[in-house]
Amino acid sequence: MTPIAVWYLNRATGIVVLVLMTLTVVLGAVVRRQVRLPGLPRFGSVALHRNVSLIAALLLLTHIVTAVIDSYVSIGWLAVLVPFASGWKPLAVGLGTLAVDLLILIIVTSLLRLRIPERVWRGVHWTSYLLWPLAFLHGLTAGTDMTSGWVLGLALVCAGAVAVSAAVAWTGRTRAGGRAPAAVAATRSALSRGSRVAVFRNR
Amino acid sequence: MTASLALPGVLEGRGPDLADHLATFGPLPPADALDLATRAELTGRGGAGFPTAVKLRSVLAAARATRRPPVVVANAAEGEPAAAKDGALLATAPHLVLDGLFLVAGTLGADTLVLAAPGRLHRAVEPALAARRRDDVRLHASPDRFLAGEESALVAAIDGGEPLPMAKFPPIRERGVEGRPTLVANIETLARLALLARGRADAGDHTLVTRRAEVAGAALVDVADVALGARLGEVLRIDRGVPAVLVGGYHGTWLPAAVARDVRLDRESLADVGATLGAGVLAALPAGRCGLRETARVMSYLAAESAGQCGPCLNGLPRIAGALELLARPGRFDGRLLKDVTRWCGLVAGRGACRHPDGSVRLVASALQVFRDEIRGHAAGRCVARDRRPFLPVPGSAR
């Protein structure tokens, strides 16, 4: 593979990984709020979230490998896991390294979910909202494409999608105490009108 | 209605003064709570009627197995709006409750004691607690929620969380407050242990009941210490026009007046007519009131008090409550409504983390049976009720 092809592959996978990670975060909010995607049962949303994240991880691997073997910049193998150890743009690459470390932690805890305490899994999983901005900043500072053209437009759309997902995921849960009175009021009005009674979520 | 006893009963206390308490009941002799509970075959007074000795033994075993000192919680949360016995007991004989609490703590080797009571009762209890000068008792303010007194909900609240029932595995007796083996006992049970320790062998054969009736248009509410096995008609005033009596509380059952007058207040006799003593509420529905209206109001309250954690309860109870509200109004209603209510009742029982849906459904099923004629009347547009005033207390309801 010619050197320039390595660089192009690195850029391309970087952009695609950005899109896929954004999609993962959005699907994560979908799973949390138990929203049904059209044509898909709810466990389908969970499976989609999982599979998209794993595809993103695979492409990320390609992104990392091409970055290291690219002879034009000196990013050693150590910099893959240790932040700020890169020879070239240590800060910018380091942000990406931090994101990778978080991602490895998230994936490993998810694979071992049944063996670890639920709180641990949940706490680590929420760091995905830290992971995404780190990766985004990495793209801005280490990458060459995100500051102009259609890539900038794409990046802004992705950022907006993640912001909306964060708001939806963090604020979505109704407090346990408020669900029952709301359900009583809604059911009473539906029954007296003769219309269908809604189904109330217990989460 | 209760004969005055030669020796003081549970309600004979004179308030939070320690000297008065010792004058009325005498000093507390050292005793083994497990031994007392076993010999008197004492059952819990919190509503479930579980044998106290078995509970004590299991917490003791759990404490030995986990090698952690247990916690004892005295439960005065009294989430049942119609019941007033725990409040009355705390007001008249708080030291008797504390005696029982310390007795149990000594037997179990517990180093942390909690007295859980609603905030409005704290004024009655704080002077008594201060007089005992023990530093291992904590006063916990339980909220005025129906489920606040449920064992796991209470433990969750004491640990700083929401007062919502939790999964029953591992059981509270093994993993409760701070993850330690925990005994949750109703304060009346503890007070009776304190009486048993003083040689009152019949303390376990009596129980506190909250009586509700209406005499000459005025509400009559009191708490009485009655003998188990007494006839309900002798304990509660059931006038001739009374259509039905609510036995147990809001998770209890309605009994037709004729049945209620003759039934005896013990587990077997009540079980024969499909009832339990529960929280000890005995309410005689006054003549001229509609039992369906009362049940519908209570059911709306119970539905709103659901913890909202389990789908069947959160969805089923509001539907049953809404349907009851429609059935409670005279006028045309959909013929399928009754069938729907019966079906929903069957779908909801046994499917929650706690017994809230089961108890609520029991009340509804008994109402549908006892007030059959009223339902038929309502379907034809007639209602027997001359009086629309509410009888059973429902917090936060004006209807």
Side-chain angles (χ1 to χ4, degrees):
Chain A
M1 188 178 268
T2 60
I4 205 149
V6 170
W7 179 40
Y8 274 33
L9 190 56
N10 176 275
R11 289 160 73 186
T13 48
I15 294 170
V16 175
V17 166
L18 172 69
V19 172
L20 288 181
M21 280 193 174
T22 303
L23 188 57
T24 306
V25 168
V26 169
L27 284 170
V30 164
V31 168
R32 177 155 169 93
R33 292 294 300 275
Q34 296 173 305
V35 175
R36 277 198 70 161
L37 293 174
L40 212 58
R42 281 211 215 121
F43 65 79
S45 310
V46 180
L48 203 56
H49 168 77
R50 193 165 190 259
N51 292 336
V52 169
S53 73
L54 292 175
I55 295 173
L58 272 176
L59 283 174
L60 182 62
L61 196 59
T62 312
H63 178 77
I64 293 171
V65 166
T66 51
V68 174
I69 67 176
D70 190 348
S71 50
Y72 189 74
V73 291
S74 65
I75 301 169
W77 285 107
L78 186 66
V80 174
L81 288 178
V82 178
F84 315 118
S86 155
W88 178 75
K89 284 195 184 175
L91 178 63
V93 172
L95 289 173
T97 311
L98 279 173
V100 166
D101 291 341
L102 276 177
L103 185 64
I104 291 174
L105 202 56
I106 290 172
I107 290 181
V108 166
T109 48
S110 291
L111 290 175
L112 294 175
R113 184 174 180 174
L114 294 176
R115 293 173 196 268
I116 60 177
E118 177 78 5
R119 292 168 289 120
V120 169
W121 175 83
R122 199 177 296 277
V124 171
H125 221 77
W126 276 114
T127 64
S128 54
Y129 282 101
L130 175 61
L131 189 174
W132 197 93
L134 284 172
F136 191 78
L137 283 173
H138 163 82
L140 267 180
T141 51
T144 48
D145 302 301
M146 245 166 94
T147 43
S148 63
W150 62 271
V151 186
L152 174 64
L154 183 64
L156 290 173
V157 167
C158 288
V162 168
V164 169
S165 301
V168 162
W170 292 354
T171 63
R173 271 198 180 188
T174 39
R175 268 194 68 240
R179 286 178 216 142
V184 171
T187 307
R188 177 185 291 141
S189 65
L191 274 177
S192 58
R193 279 194 325 257
S195 57
R196 276 176 74 94
V197 181
V199 173
F200 305 104
R201 300 201 202 294
N202 61 329
R203 285 171 175 267
Chain B
M1 272 173 216
T2 48
S4 62
L5 304 157
L7 293 165
V10 169
L11 286 179
E12 249 64 57
R14 291 196 303 221
D17 185 52
L18 186 53
D20 280 343
H21 166 73
L22 292 171
T24 313
F25 294 105
L28 179 70
D32 179 29
L34 181 54
D35 188 48
L36 295 170
T38 314
R39 277 197 275 123
E41 292 179 355
L42 183 67
T43 53
R45 296 294 194 263
F50 193 77
T52 307
V54 176
K55 215 180 205 183
L56 284 169
R57 238 178 265 127
S58 61
V59 175
L60 210 50
R64 279 198 207 109
T66 59
R67 282 195 290 266
R68 303 184 69 183
V71 177
V72 182
V73 176
N75 190 355
E78 196 155 61
E80 178 81 59
K85 70 167 180 82
D86 289 340
L89 184 55
L90 269 189
T92 54
H95 283 289
L96 210 55
V97 173
L98 292 174
D99 282 346
L101 180 60
F102 299 145
L103 213 57
V104 167
T107 305
L108 294 181
D111 65 352
T112 306
L113 312 177
V114 182
L115 175 57
R120 58 192 152 79
L121 295 178
H122 284 200
R123 219 170 353 108
V125 162
E126 269 154 4
L129 258 180
R132 299 303 278 257
R133 291 209 205 103
R134 280 178 69 134
D135 56 357
D136 52 358
V137 186
R138 184 161 43 117
L139 193 55
H140 168 80
S142 58
D144 267 324
R145 303 286 310 273
F146 189 77
L147 294 177
E150 198 271 343
E151 192 181 52
S152 57
L154 187 53
V155 164
I158 291 172
D159 274 340
E162 291 250 26
L164 301 173
M166 303 186 285
K168 296 300 183 287
F169 190 80
I172 295 298
R173 62 174 179 273
E174 283 173 28
R175 242 188 108 75
V177 175
E178 294 164 16
R180 301 199 265 155
T182 303
L183 178 84
V184 178
N186 184 271
I187 54 167
E188 190 194 335
T189 318
L190 297 171
R192 294 199 178 278
L193 273 173
L195 280 181
L196 286 169
R198 288 174 166 89
R200 287 291 310 277
D202 64 341
D205 301 328
H206 283 67
T207 192
L208 288 179
V209 293
T210 312
R211 298 185 293 201
R212 296 182 168 271
E214 208 173 75
V215 178
L220 204 65
V221 181
D222 74 344
V223 177
D225 193 4
V226 303
L228 288 172
R231 273 182 60 234
L232 209 172
E234 284 166 0
V235 169
L236 176 74
R237 180 196 178 114
I238 305 177
D239 289 332
R240 213 145 33 113
V242 165
V245 175
L246 179 65
V247 175
Y250 290 173
H251 279 179
T253 43
W254 287 102
L255 292 178
V259 173
R261 278 191 197 97
D262 290 326
V263 75
R264 294 198 171 269
L265 288 176
D266 60 62
R267 167 173 258 154
E268 293 81 19
S269 313
L270 285 170
D272 282 340
V273 294
T276 58
L277 199 44
V281 173
L282 303 171
L285 186 68
R289 294 289 218 291
C290 179
L292 284 174
R293 273 184 97 88
E294 292 294 322
T295 311
R297 279 177 59 244
V298 168
M299 195 53 200
S300 294
Y301 166 73
L302 292 176
E305 286 292 307
S306 161
Q309 296 182 128
C310 308
C313 180
L314 177 63
N315 284 276
L317 294 195
R319 287 185 199 215
I320 296 169
L324 271 183
E325 280 182 11
L326 291 177
L327 286 170
R329 285 187 237 134
R332 275 182 308 114
F333 45 74
D334 198 329
R336 288 177 315 198
L337 209 54
L338 213 45
K339 274 209 202 72
D340 281 340
V341 174
T342 315
R343 184 169 50 89
W344 292 331
C345 288
L347 287 172
V348 148
R351 287 192 170 155
C354 72
R355 296 273 171 264
H356 184 60
D358 305 53
S360 310
V361 154
R362 187 190 324 168
L363 178 72
V364 170
S366 72
L368 293 179
Q369 212 207 351
V370 169
F371 301 119
R372 271 194 308 271
D373 295 333
E374 278 84 334
I375 295 178
R376 246 179 267 128
H378 285 193
R382 295 175 278 112
C383 182
V384 297
R386 301 184 305 268
D387 197 337
R388 292 261 164 105
R389 286 179 303 153
F391 169 61
L392 292 170
V394 169
S397 126
R399 299 147 93 235

